[in-house]
Amino acid sequence: MKEELLRVAARVVDTAASMDICCEAFVQKKRHTSIIIESGKVTFGSMDGDYGIGIRVINGRNTGYAYCDERSIEFGLKQALSVARLSAPGCYGFQDDRNYAGTRSIYDNRVATLVTEDGIDLARDIIEGACYDPRVTPSRGGLSFGTLAYAVANSNGVSVYDEGTFLSGSVMTVLKEDGVMVNGDDSQVSRSRDFSFEEIGRKATEKAIGQLGQQGIETATMDVILRPDAAFDILSNTVLPSLNGDAVRKGDSVYVDKMGKPVAAGGITIVDDARHPKGLNTFATDEEGYPSRRTVLADNGVLTGLLYDTYAAIEAGAKPTGNAMHGDRMETGTTYKVSPSTCARNFILEGETMPEEEMIRGVRNGILVDNVLGAHTANKISGDFSVAIYAGHAIRDGEIAFPLKGGMIGGNMPAMLLQAALADDYRLVESGFSPASGYIPSIKFSGVRVSGG
Amino acid sequence: MIFLIRAVSDALDGRADYYDVRILHVTTTSIEMKNGGVTRAVAGTESGACVRVLFRGAWGFASAPESGKAALGEAADRAARIAKGISETVGEKSELADVEPAVDDVTVPMKKNFMDVPIGEKVDLIRAAHDMIKKYEFVTNDLITYKDTYTVGELYSSEGASVITRMPRVFWQLELAGRKDGQAQSVRRRIGRTSGLEALDDDAPLKMADSAVASLIALLNGKSPPSGPMPVIADPDLAGVFAHEAVGHAAEADLVATGNSCFAGRIGEQIGSDMVTIRDDATLPGMNGSMVYDDEGVKAGNKVLIRNGILNDFIQSRETAAKLGMAPNGGARAESYHGRPLVRMSNTLFEAGDRDFKEMIEGVRLGVYAKGTRGGQVNTAQGFFQFNAQESYLIENGEITKPLRDVSLSGRTLDILKLIDAVGADADTAGVGICGKGQQVPVGQGGPHIRISRCVVGGR
């Protein structure tokens, strides 16, 4: 695979050179197998993949992007060139840092060698795990595994390849009792075979049982603990886009003029670490071939850094941070079909932590929220959001009191971060609406507006 | 095409009780313009195919990056292997409801063929909206997205279906960001049609830009909304989103059949006030979610989901129709050749009633008038939803008083349907959505003004 992808990338750059064009090639090959669970049964399986080339050219003060396949490289180059004529003139350049010592992607042979039959067995593990309580049906879920490989080459002599593995599983269980229907959701995503599928099912069922006896909650201001999925869902639609250097430069960010000023509670350090040993976006480089690195965005709460791809860095007079991703808006994952732009890779909150139980014990009147609905509707410039509670519990006098029926939480996430505290239950989380991923724990916020149902 | 089908059939070698092959050729132009500069422009064509196999009640699916004989044969073999593997463990067997295999060749017409228009002209066409907006100082950024797609789809099945469709689509979107007194806000407008470039005729983008600027001014002057339960009046666009999020998703028969919908087992039941009639209609020419055949080769229909408050029908694939013992209605759609057809909406519409908008407002002492949407999400199993309005106003003593910002609404579908106490006569069906359910498909939506007597409004 390595030789093949590098050869294709080199061919694009060589062809461009013969046409006297400055170019960057991104060759991407994805493959995955999925198994689907419906109504407690394995019902469907699929194998899918994608293989293509993204070509970016610079012609004088113009730049253009197009995609093609192996048989249409020359056509792709011409397309990119014709598109470049329409572009806004500017200062463009390709990156030339080739210092790739250190980081490699995460490639687990135990994932790479999985076959369909293994997938069916693992899906049955999810079902078995969920069915320990006969009232519960694992109604929808499944798993997916596969590999992603890419090569980048450009006219500055960059030529780099990496590949990695992915594995994920999820299920939603449904519990019906006395005419009331509740559900429980659980999921895991990883680069390695390091989690139990049976446990996904079991946890989903535990969560469904925990939702029996839902009660409404009063409209009030209170402490809110967001578990990792809920927290990242909101963070990735508010804080993450605002940490994009280009957004700050253009005034589209709440962090304009905030460099050196507090943006999080004093004990919290915000990092984007593309080398993290578990990270969903850990690769040797970003998708422009820039070496992966760890960028400290806020050091003990004080804003110290922003994220840049190469074009944005040139415009801002900054250094790239290895955050170029071929991400399409509203999609998880990356694709050669769109040009690269700045995106957080592995977003991490570090600092002093405490066990979640202790955090709950410290709350007199508040709520604990597992998942939310509608985080993508947040105001990405101001960081204001208002979401519905998908699954959560009331906390009374330091103890979990009852599951919540409906209700909403709202606030300004950048402001809320100034009063945040971290638990220690770190977990890998994905953003449903960009390629960004995170490794974060539950977070406690104080004085949050909760609207009762 | 006979030779391709034969290649698939040979590769399957008896390992399929049913199979279908979809072959797609997609031609796209996509342009993104930020503050008048083209930041993305891609024109390209792409082909691919997929094979779906049903064997002993189990499904297998595989895609191929090209539609050649060898690639299709390989995909068929992979799909068959998966189906066979699953069939050995499957408990409940999937079946397909009977349909007369369609043999048809359909071309959805374009008055202005966008394939004949050079990309430079399209850039000029979308630049017009930017030129109009740039005079407003409080607008800090404008982002215009344009995409046209021409999809030639072929579907062949082992039952003898042979359906060729040629479908044009035009999508235009404007996003404005503005700033005033430290407030930052954004608004969005969309045009989406299954038609040619005539979708942008009559200065449609300029009219949209005008209304977006007006919205932005209101938002920048907006106050934080009150929070808690109160009466809400939704405009036609938001009423359409309500029909889509709260009702349409719960009426997707795959969710119903897997115990994942609050509508399960309630056909024939009065679930809403008798003013509520909601349908999902794929047959309206030109609307964003319209289609002639679905991706199983079934004629796409008009499904009346709720009639006068009574739950009447679900959106079906052939598989869910068999499972629920209902009639197929052509609701299975796939985003591309990378995925299997799933039960999806087309154009979801709240039917107009007879009330006057002014009269609806007059009945409210303290409430919110919410317009448009930034999107929403739903939990279909328990039947609750969240959606965010683009623009909102406070209603005090029967009058619209001041603009609000960042208003979200949430509620339980089965409660809210009963709490709809006024439905306007003024329906609009221009709503454009992109619906995600693992795969993204274009949808349409619309309705009249509706009034909900009690809905949770989330503020901060």
Side-chain angles (χ1 to χ4, degrees):
Chain A
M1 181 100 79
K2 182 175 180 177
E3 286 66 32
E4 181 196 348
L5 264 57
L6 281 171
R7 199 175 55 235
V8 172
R11 208 162 84 218
V12 176
V13 176
D14 292 347
T15 311
S18 71
M19 296 159 74
D20 211 17
I21 305 170
C22 198
C23 111
E24 173 187 273
F26 173 66
V27 186
Q28 188 186 45
K29 195 169 197 170
K30 300 192 253 196
R31 230 191 283 218
H32 69 269
T33 300
S34 301
I35 306 292
I36 301 290
I37 298 167
E38 292 169 307
S39 297
K41 306 285 186 318
V42 177
T43 55
F44 177 89
S46 69
M47 284 170 85
D48 184 29
D50 207 356
Y51 180 22
I53 307 164
I55 298 178
R56 197 159 62 154
V57 300
I58 297 174
N59 188 16
R61 286 178 50 78
N62 292 96
T63 182
Y65 191 85
Y67 64 90
C68 62
D69 63 22
E70 225 185 321
R71 291 158 304 184
S72 56
I73 290 172
E74 229 169 280
F75 173 77
L77 277 162
K78 282 181 185 151
Q79 280 282 336
L81 210 54
S82 77
V83 161
R85 285 187 206 111
L86 305 167
S87 77
C91 236
Y92 303 107
F94 296 128
Q95 78 89 11
D96 58 4
D97 191 331
R98 277 167 286 170
N99 181 14
Y100 300 127
T103 317
R104 279 257 90 65
S105 180
I106 301 154
Y107 190 95
D108 183 351
N109 239 333
R110 293 167 303 174
V111 175
T113 54
L114 285 173
V115 294
T116 308
E117 286 69 22
D118 301 323
I120 296 168
D121 286 344
L122 294 174
R124 295 177 74 187
D125 287 351
I126 297 179
I127 296 170
E128 241 165 69
C131 286
Y132 75 87
D133 186 319
R135 295 172 299 173
V136 160
T137 311
S139 80
R140 299 177 73 78
L143 60 91
S144 182
F145 55 83
T147 57
L148 186 150
Y150 71 93
V152 180
N154 72 24
S155 307
N156 292 341
V158 165
S159 171
V160 65
Y161 168 90
D162 206 2
E163 60 181 331
T165 49
F166 292 89
L167 178 67
S168 66
S170 68
V171 71
M172 176 202 231
T173 60
V174 168
L175 196 167
K176 244 187 200 168
E177 197 173 62
D178 303 328
V180 175
M181 180 142 75
V182 291
N183 61 275
D185 297 74
D186 198 61
S187 64
Q188 287 283 350
V189 53
S190 180
R191 305 293 302 274
S192 320
R193 183 125 183 229
D194 57 1
F195 62 86
S196 151
F197 284 85
E198 184 267 340
E199 196 176 294
I200 294 173
R202 189 168 49 72
K203 278 194 175 159
T205 293
E206 281 171 13
K207 287 183 187 172
I209 294 167
Q211 286 297 315
L212 283 171
Q214 289 179 347
Q215 294 178 34
I217 190 167
E218 76 277 24
T219 298
T221 298
M222 60 182 81
D223 287 349
V224 171
I225 299 175
L226 296 179
R227 287 219 158 114
D229 294 80
F232 194 66
D233 212 2
I234 300 172
L235 283 167
S236 63
N237 284 290
T238 52
V239 169
L240 267 64
S242 271
L243 287 167
N244 182 334
D246 201 47
V248 172
R249 196 177 62 83
K250 291 180 174 150
D252 282 349
S253 160
V254 71
Y255 297 127
V256 173
D257 297 329
K258 285 282 164 65
M259 199 53 81
K261 294 182 182 149
V263 294
I268 296 179
T269 291
I270 304 176
V271 173
D272 184 65
D273 187 358
R275 301 174 166 188
H276 190 272
K278 288 182 169 196
L280 297 177
N281 284 311
T282 296
F283 284 94
T285 71
D286 72 358
E287 293 182 340
E288 292 178 328
Y290 193 84
S292 288
R293 58 199 55 216
R294 179 186 146 94
T295 306
V296 177
L297 299 164
D299 187 4
N300 279 304
V302 173
L303 187 67
T304 52
L306 298 167
L307 302 174
Y308 293 97
D309 62 79
T310 302
Y311 280 10
I314 292 171
E315 279 201 62
K319 261 179 83 84
T321 51
N323 284 90
M325 306 267 271
H326 288 257
D328 207 354
R329 288 195 300 168
M330 309 299 278
E331 298 256 16
T332 333
T334 65
T335 169
Y336 62 87
K337 289 181 184 164
V338 302
S339 54
S341 55
T342 307
C343 181
R345 290 173 65 188
N346 302 316
F347 180 87
I348 299 166
L349 296 176
E350 298 175 349
E352 217 172 287
T353 62
M354 64 175 93
E356 196 198 59
E357 307 86 76
E358 193 185 319
M359 188 174 258
I360 293 170
R361 272 201 300 277
V363 174
R364 206 177 57 78
N365 181 31
I367 57 171
L368 172 68
V369 179
D370 283 292
N371 306 92
V372 297
L373 283 184
H376 64 290
T377 65
N379 184 324
K380 287 168 185 65
I381 307 171
S382 68
D384 287 339
F385 70 93
S386 176
V387 295
I389 297 165
Y390 178 99
H393 287 82
I395 305 173
R396 294 285 182 269
D397 298 320
E399 294 201 11
I400 291 180
F402 55 84
L404 298 176
K405 181 176 184 174
M408 303 184 76
I409 50 177
N412 179 274
M413 183 47 86
M416 281 161 62
L417 266 188
L418 291 166
Q419 306 289 333
L422 306 180
D424 63 1
D425 52 346
Y426 279 82
R427 174 178 154 79
L428 285 169
V429 282
E430 288 179 286
S431 155
F433 295 92
S434 83
S437 80
Y439 186 63
I440 63 169
S442 295
I443 311 172
K444 184 179 118 177
F445 302 97
S446 352
V448 181
R449 190 69 180 162
V450 177
S451 310
Chain B
M1 285 304 133
I2 294 293
F3 74 99
L4 285 179
I5 301 310
R6 193 164 295 147
V8 169
S9 164
D10 286 351
L12 290 171
D13 194 21
R15 293 173 299 168
D17 300 319
Y18 167 89
Y19 66 84
D20 54 34
V21 180
R22 283 189 299 122
I23 302 169
L24 294 176
H25 309 276
V26 187
T27 307
T28 311
T29 297
S30 151
I31 305 166
E32 184 189 271
M33 181 183 285
K34 194 162 192 178
N35 302 327
V38 175
T39 44
R40 184 177 285 182
V42 183
T45 55
E46 187 192 2
S47 298
C50 58
V51 180
R52 185 172 72 144
V53 167
L54 185 62
F55 180 65
R56 293 183 186 154
W59 284 112
F61 174 96
S63 70
E66 49 171 326
S67 51
K69 214 171 125 182
L72 266 178
E74 219 175 279
D77 179 56
R78 284 205 300 268
R81 280 196 339 243
I82 297 169
K84 184 164 184 298
I86 292 176
S87 74
E88 282 157 12
T89 72
V90 77
E92 189 182 8
K93 295 192 183 333
S94 300
E95 287 172 34
L96 294 174
D98 287 335
V99 291
E100 187 65 39
V103 177
D104 206 347
D105 187 328
V106 184
T107 300
V108 175
M110 284 194 268
K111 283 192 192 126
K112 287 189 183 172
N113 191 332
F114 51 66
M115 314 264 271
D116 297 339
V117 179
I119 191 164
E121 266 179 49
K122 292 174 186 172
V123 169
D124 292 341
L125 184 68
I126 65 171
R127 197 188 301 278
H130 164 77
D131 288 343
M132 201 207 88
I133 292 155
K134 67 182 179 196
K135 63 181 179 227
Y136 298 102
E137 259 176 30
F138 57 89
V139 176
T140 49
N141 273 305
D142 66 274
L143 179 68
I144 303 169
T145 316
Y146 167 90
K147 189 170 187 179
D148 62 47
T149 316
Y150 196 72
T151 306
V152 181
E154 302 170 49
L155 178 130
Y156 305 101
S157 82
S158 55
E159 293 171 344
S162 165
V163 178
I164 298 172
T165 51
R166 295 176 188 81
M167 172 70 93
R169 283 184 181 285
V170 170
F171 176 80
W172 175 94
Q173 177 171 281
L174 167 70
E175 290 161 277
L176 287 186
R179 204 174 262 283
K180 192 195 157 200
D181 305 333
Q183 268 291 337
Q185 286 292 337
S186 58
V187 292
R188 184 180 76 197
R189 289 293 184 274
R190 284 174 174 168
I191 300 169
R193 304 279 294 167
T194 46
S195 76
L197 212 48
E198 66 270 20
L200 305 184
D201 276 358
D202 301 326
D203 291 332
L206 295 184
K207 287 174 189 159
M208 284 286 182
D210 243 340
S211 106
V213 168
S215 278
L216 191 59
I217 293 171
L219 280 169
L220 288 170
N221 291 297
K223 303 282 173 279
S224 281
S227 49
M230 64 191 71
V232 169
I233 295 179
D235 83 330
D237 195 14
L238 190 57
V241 174
F242 171 78
H244 175 101
E245 294 292 345
V247 173
H249 277 298
E252 290 170 344
D254 55 340
L255 300 183
V256 174
T258 52
N260 224 311
S261 164
C262 58
F263 288 171
R266 291 184 195 266
I267 289 277
E269 199 177 297
Q270 184 90 34
I271 59 165
S273 94
D274 56 13
M275 283 171 248
V276 179
T277 294
I278 291 174
R279 60 201 177 94
D280 185 76
D281 190 352
T283 68
L284 301 165
M287 269 191 81
N288 198 41
S290 299
M291 61 201 144
V292 182
Y293 287 92
D294 77 353
D295 289 319
E296 293 187 309
V298 179
K299 202 105 195 199
N302 173 20
K303 310 114 208 166
V304 181
L305 307 176
I306 299 176
R307 180 179 281 132
N308 301 327
I310 296 170
L311 186 63
N312 182 67
D313 201 0
F314 297 133
I315 306 165
Q316 306 280 359
S317 66
R318 289 183 64 188
E319 182 182 350
T320 62
K323 212 180 230 174
L324 297 172
M326 295 172 78
N329 51 28
R333 303 176 69 184
E335 178 183 344
S336 69
Y337 62 86
H338 290 294
R340 65 166 167 160
L342 298 172
V343 174
R344 304 304 294 266
M345 279 172 259
S346 57
N347 305 301
T348 316
L349 305 164
F350 202 118
E351 289 281 288
D354 57 6
R355 296 290 292 276
D356 176 55
F357 173 61
K358 213 164 158 274
E359 187 184 297
M360 285 163 70
I361 295 269
E362 276 164 11
V364 176
R365 205 175 57 77
L366 178 71
V368 168
Y369 174 39
K371 295 175 73 172
T373 180
R374 286 195 192 134
Q377 232 178 334
V378 62
N379 172 334
T380 52
Q382 296 180 48
F384 64 86
F385 59 84
Q386 181 270 9
F387 42 73
N388 189 286
Q390 279 212 50
E391 187 184 343
S392 315
Y393 298 87
L394 192 67
I395 307 172
E396 289 173 299
N397 299 316
E399 278 183 34
I400 293 174
T401 53
K402 56 184 172 212
L404 303 171
R405 60 180 159 87
D406 299 310
V407 169
S408 285
L409 306 172
S410 173
R412 300 182 91 79
T413 304
L414 292 175
D415 296 341
I416 298 284
L417 284 171
K418 294 194 181 81
L419 296 171
I420 292 173
D421 67 354
V423 177
D426 51 352
D428 177 2
T429 58
V432 173
I434 300 163
C435 175
K437 184 177 169 183
Q439 303 175 33
Q440 294 194 346
V441 295
V443 295
Q445 66 227 3
H449 279 93
I450 60 170
R451 188 172 69 198
I452 304 162
S453 60
R454 187 179 188 276
C455 183
V456 179
V457 174
R460 46 174 287 242

